[in-house]
Amino acid sequence: MAIKYTYQGLLIYLTIAAYFLAFLARIAGFKKTARTLYLAGFIVATVSFGYRSYHVRHVPFQNLFEVFLAMAMVIYPLSIFCRRLLQVGGEAADMLIGAILLVPAGFVFRAEPQRLPPALQCWLFTPHVAVYLFGYVIMAKAMVQAICQLKNNKVDVDTSLDSYEKGTYRMICLGFPLLTLGLLMGSWWGKLAWGDYWDWDPKELWSLASWLVYVEYFHVRYMFGKRYPRLGSCLAILGAVVIVITLLWVNLSRLFSGLHSYAT
Amino acid sequence: MNKVNRSIMWLALVVIGILAFLSVYGAFLGSQQAKEFFNSVPATIYWAVFTLLLIIGIALLRRLLRVPALLLIHVGCVLILAGAIWGSEAGHKLCKKLFGIDKIQTGQMKIYEGYSNNRVILENNQQAEFPFYIALKDFQIEYYKPEHLYIQTLQGESWMFPVEVGIEFSLGDEFGSVKILKVFENFKITIDGESRTIIDDTGPGSNPALELRFKSPDGQAITRYVFERFPGHTQSDDELLLIYRRIISDFVSELQVVRDGQVVAEKKIEVNHPLHYGGYHFYQHSYDSDEGKYTVLLVTSDSGLYCVYTGYLMLCLGVIWHFWLRHIVNRLKTKKKNKIKFKWQ
């Protein structure tokens, strides 16, 4: 764990502070202040992402440091989109997720800029990573809704929003096509770069496992949705856990060396 | 839901659950062992059962037939599985047995610059031959510019400089400065009697190096050479550790396909840009890292590939339609209805 004494580090710490203060203000009931801080955090996160893009001279999706910067940036627009259009709450949790996402980027991951290796110089690089990072943030929101449902079956505090079960379902409906696109684009890219659309690489297998957990969720919801709504929520949580393993453990552990090892 | 439909759904839950579990198990095995595991006989039976279950589901579950997006998703999955089975080793053997189509599933070709080859080394180290030849006109490695020179003191202080000939870089008050005098692609020393001459050999081989001139604060100058392949190469009394680093941006092989003495196809292949000819893809796989004299191509058959890609397209369209577009259309319809109601009231 090390503090980054750079402009990039400063921007990260400012974003963490803004998101975390927004979270505290939100749970204390200062809704307006919380939203202003949240917006400020998003602006700093965007500047931070832009600064990184300028610094490395390519879309900064190459390693975990850059992906976490991007995820912390997209959480704000996703939060607004979900609240206004999908009637799914969890704004306070989003603020906390945003702050948590930046902790490893600020203190753990290495930030040295790297050149893109030949395999990553493909037009599929940006859309493949982008759909996955959006998908992962959405599935994290789904997990929050699922946890709320397991803890309390009542409707969200904000009465304009739908129940947690519906919230979980809507988030998974939003995120599942992104996971599908990510998986298939990755497979297509694998064929172009490595000669096979499926290499049985640990990262590929974990991604498939997470996709299958959500496939199982839809089938379970169709079969037992009304009788056992909590079963679906358990699967939504399991899906998010598998995603965390796919994103972090597979890249950081020596146990899973494979074709995606450059993404650390 | 009737009994048959419920049984199909239950089976689907079990089969999906097993695949999720096996995926996690396979991840712990590592890529090569996982490939063997998922191509073993029990796994082949599992894939066949999975495909069959999907087909039965499509035929018997009315909801799948009534909702086009769900039908697309499930038919897409069938095509992906069918294409994968067709393209597998077992699929190639079956094609040979049933239709007499004898295709190489995967292998490697080593081709020297200026030569052609039609022999493929298979995974079991046996050889097979194509009815056409692949010629390597040229092979090149491209590097990111600028390249870099790294200098480190024994105390851990370090500098990174772009490789620019003639420019002097400061190393602080203690170490003075450094100037890059020359860049060598193939550094060699020729010995003629007692005289030694350093040359950049244009012949075969590769030994990238830099000629550096260090100037100490008291004005004393010394010349040093740093080699890409031998980082930290210094004389025993040197206080500075030298590293010359070039980062590869691409590998490029200029290929020609020759059939009956005629060039029938030509392409510069690089990573992400393979050559497709005669039912095969040719990929830039490896190269001669010592002298850059040959390239190694990975050859893969395209059997079943377009079936898999069609499945991908159907799955994507189905998923986007079912989970996004359907809801958007419904929302727009409801909005329209509400507007009409409002007008009537």
Side-chain angles (χ1 to χ4, degrees), chain B residues 156-227:
Chain B
E157 196 181 353
S158 63
W159 297 270
M160 181 181 85
F161 303 118
V163 173
E164 287 172 23
V165 175
I167 296 180
E168 197 155 353
F169 301 103
S170 169
L171 296 172
D173 295 340
E174 197 182 340
F175 296 99
S177 65
V178 62
K179 191 191 226 179
I180 298 166
L181 298 181
K182 196 172 177 184
V183 180
F184 295 86
E185 271 301 317
N186 190 13
F187 178 99
K188 269 187 185 164
I189 300 174
T190 56
I191 302 169
D192 183 16
E194 287 210 348
S195 75
R196 292 175 178 188
T197 318
I198 290 165
I199 57 160
D200 194 359
D201 194 1
T202 50
S206 167
N207 185 21
L210 298 176
E211 184 179 308
L212 309 173
R213 171 71 49 86
F214 285 92
K215 211 183 230 177
S216 62
D218 57 12
Q220 204 181 348
I222 51 164
T223 304
R224 287 286 177 267
Y225 293 92
V226 53
F227 301 90

Side-chain angles (χ1 to χ4, degrees), chain A residues 71-112:
Chain A
M71 286 202 289
M73 180 183 68
V74 302
I75 197 148
Y76 177 82
L78 275 176
S79 200
I80 303 272
F81 175 82
C82 293
R83 185 162 49 86
R84 292 200 179 156
L85 281 149
L86 302 179
Q87 309 299 315
V88 178
E91 200 178 29
D94 294 345
M95 293 162 181
L96 189 61
I97 290 172
I100 290 170
L101 280 172
L102 282 173
V103 171
F107 298 99
V108 183
F109 298 145
R110 289 172 58 190
E112 282 82 35

Side-chain angles (χ1 to χ4, degrees), chain B residues 244-258:
Chain B
Y244 171 32
R245 193 175 291 162
R246 302 194 297 173
I247 299 169
I248 293 172
S249 72
D250 211 352
F251 310 99
V252 187
S253 289
E254 210 176 324
L255 301 181
Q256 282 182 328
V257 183
V258 183

